[in-house]
Amino acid sequence: MSRTLQAQHDRFDLIAPFRIARGVKTAADVVTVTIGDGDAIGRGEGVPYPRYGESIESTLAAIEGARVAIEAGADRQALLTLLPPGAARNAVDCALWDLETRQSGRNVASLIGAPEPQRLASALTIVIDTPEAMARAAAALASAPLLKVKVDAHAPAAQIRAVRNAAPDTALIVDPNESWNQALVEALQPILIEARVALLEQPVPADNDAWLEGFTSAVPICADESVHVAADLDVIARRYSHVNVKLDKAGGLTAALELAFAARARGLGLMTGCMVSSSLSIAPALHVARLSDFVDLDGPIWLREDRPGGVTDESGMLAPPATGFWGTI
């Protein structure tokens, strides 16, 4: 083996602040991994998330700790034991998929026995603001097929109503990012019905969701922070109707596909999500998105400048990257 491994911190400025219940982002900080083997080069991207105790520094250190094994030829299966689920494993796993494409002359879709990614509906995000500002943002996106509404515990009813009134025909996902409690979830059921919300995403903290086992919600509830890998599903299936599969949580496309197939086998609905990222994170996620009921891959849409050849959005319809960008030749 003549492999070489490189990992670096890249930053992409955003076009506007990205406000959710947990805080505000003005830039996407990612770790880019490049694995070379002879003339072939594979790339992957991971987005460290402080919610899971990750940072750029810890992610780079984790990758460095696995360097010897990776450069010695560790494959994607070996990687599942080399690194835990998270951004570091995601970046390396996706780089290995891309490398295999270059070495085999086969696209990732062919390697996994699936169709090539196609243009699909992907949520556009309305970030937390005043109800009036959120209504203006929703009105500008009212022709999109799907909107994700970020809320917190301060004025969620007014925010949800404002978005629904401004975008009467689009499907809505409401995402409190763990900021609600049981009482608020119960109190807001009539609002969720009134606003015809299609999906409520992770309303309560992941460590305080056991009560959902005995709760019948008026709208489907999707696990996000509560679910990372397929092993979580024994508990998740008792509490949620859907799971949000994110490659950065699962630790790569390999584990994300395992989670998606296992969730489907249990009759759970699927959502594919992302962090605020470049298109290098989104291209692999498209292979999970084709299996999903809801897709939320608008991370690169928030960047002032994406990686060349990345995904493109037109009114909430997301087109795959250019041929050769990632996982294709």
Side-chain angles (χ1 to χ4, degrees), residues 43 278-280 282-283 300 306-313 318-322 325:
R43 297 187 303 158
S278 88
S279 285
L280 189 53
I282 303 306
D306 192 8
R307 299 182 195 264
V311 298
T312 53
D313 170 79
L318 192 70
F325 178 81

Side-chain angles (χ1 to χ4, degrees), residues 29 32 37 44 54 143 148 166 176 184 189 223 228 234 258 289 329:
D29 289 290
T32 305
D37 192 348
E54 297 176 326
S143 63
K148 173 179 271 196
L184 194 52
Q189 293 290 301
H228 291 250
D234 283 344
E258 180 188 6
I329 54 172

Side-chain angles (χ1 to χ4, degrees), residues 62-115:
I63 294 169
E64 185 61 32
R67 173 183 294 278
V68 172
I70 294 165
E71 290 191 333
D75 62 12
R76 289 181 283 102
Q77 285 303 121
L79 193 64
L80 294 174
T81 55
L82 274 175
L83 289 168
R89 194 172 78 187
N90 180 31
V92 176
D93 177 80
C94 289
L96 289 175
W97 277 102
D98 195 31
L99 179 66
E100 187 173 347
T101 289
R102 314 298 163 193
Q103 292 176 317
S104 68
R106 297 172 61 195
N107 291 347
V108 166
S110 172
L111 292 172
I112 63 178

Side-chain angles (χ1 to χ4, degrees), residues 43-73:
R43 297 187 303 158
E45 177 179 290
V47 185
Y49 201 35
R51 166 66 178 82
Y52 306 130
E54 297 176 326
S55 66
I56 291 292
E57 294 74 21
S58 70
T59 300
L60 289 171
I63 294 169
E64 185 61 32
R67 173 183 294 278
V68 172
I70 294 165
E71 290 191 333

Side-chain angles (χ1 to χ4, degrees), residues 63-303:
I63 294 169
E64 185 61 32
R67 173 183 294 278
V68 172
I70 294 165
E71 290 191 333
D75 62 12
R76 289 181 283 102
Q77 285 303 121
L79 193 64
L80 294 174
T81 55
L82 274 175
L83 289 168
R89 194 172 78 187
N90 180 31
V92 176
D93 177 80
C94 289
L96 289 175
W97 277 102
D98 195 31
L99 179 66
E100 187 173 347
T101 289
R102 314 298 163 193
Q103 292 176 317
S104 68
R106 297 172 61 195
N107 291 347
V108 166
S110 172
L111 292 172
I112 63 178
E116 293 291 341
Q118 302 293 321
R119 187 169 174 264
L120 48 68
S122 176
L124 298 176
T125 304
I126 309 294
V127 296
I128 293 176
D129 209 323
T130 64
E132 295 77 16
M134 293 176 73
R136 288 193 295 272
L141 301 174
S143 63
L146 179 62
L147 295 180
K148 173 179 271 196
V149 188
K150 293 286 190 178
V151 296
D152 53 24
H154 298 303
Q159 292 165 330
I160 294 166
R161 280 190 174 122
V163 170
R164 171 50 79 205
N165 289 338
D169 299 322
T170 191
L172 295 184
I173 300 169
V174 170
D175 185 9
N177 284 106
E178 303 182 280
S179 65
W180 293 1
N181 57 25
Q182 179 176 353
L184 194 52
V185 172
E186 292 172 345
L188 289 172
Q189 293 290 301
I191 304 298
L192 300 175
I193 297 169
E194 172 194 319
R196 291 173 284 116
V197 170
L199 193 68
L200 177 63
E201 185 180 350
Q202 194 71 49
V204 297
D207 61 359
N208 189 28
D209 66 356
W211 63 272
L212 287 172
E213 291 189 28
F215 180 68
T216 302
S217 177
V219 301
I221 302 182
C222 180
D224 182 4
E225 286 84 355
S226 289
V227 62
H228 291 250
V229 294
D232 298 330
L233 291 177
D234 283 344
V235 172
I236 292 301
R238 300 196 299 266
R239 302 178 184 179
Y240 298 89
S241 63
H242 291 66
V243 297
N244 187 348
V245 180
K246 290 179 178 173
L247 273 64
D248 277 305
K249 290 190 303 177
L253 177 59
T254 303
L257 286 169
E258 180 188 6
L259 171 58
F261 289 131
R264 279 298 192 209
R266 291 172 178 266
L268 292 166
L270 277 186
M271 177 178 176
T272 302
C274 67
M275 308 303 184
V276 182
S277 63
S278 88
S279 285
L280 189 53
S281 283
I282 303 306
L286 291 174
H287 293 280
V288 181
R290 70 174 185 83
L291 304 169
S292 300
D293 307 293
F294 299 92
V295 176
D296 176 28
L297 297 178
D298 70 341
I301 310 307
W302 286 84
L303 307 187

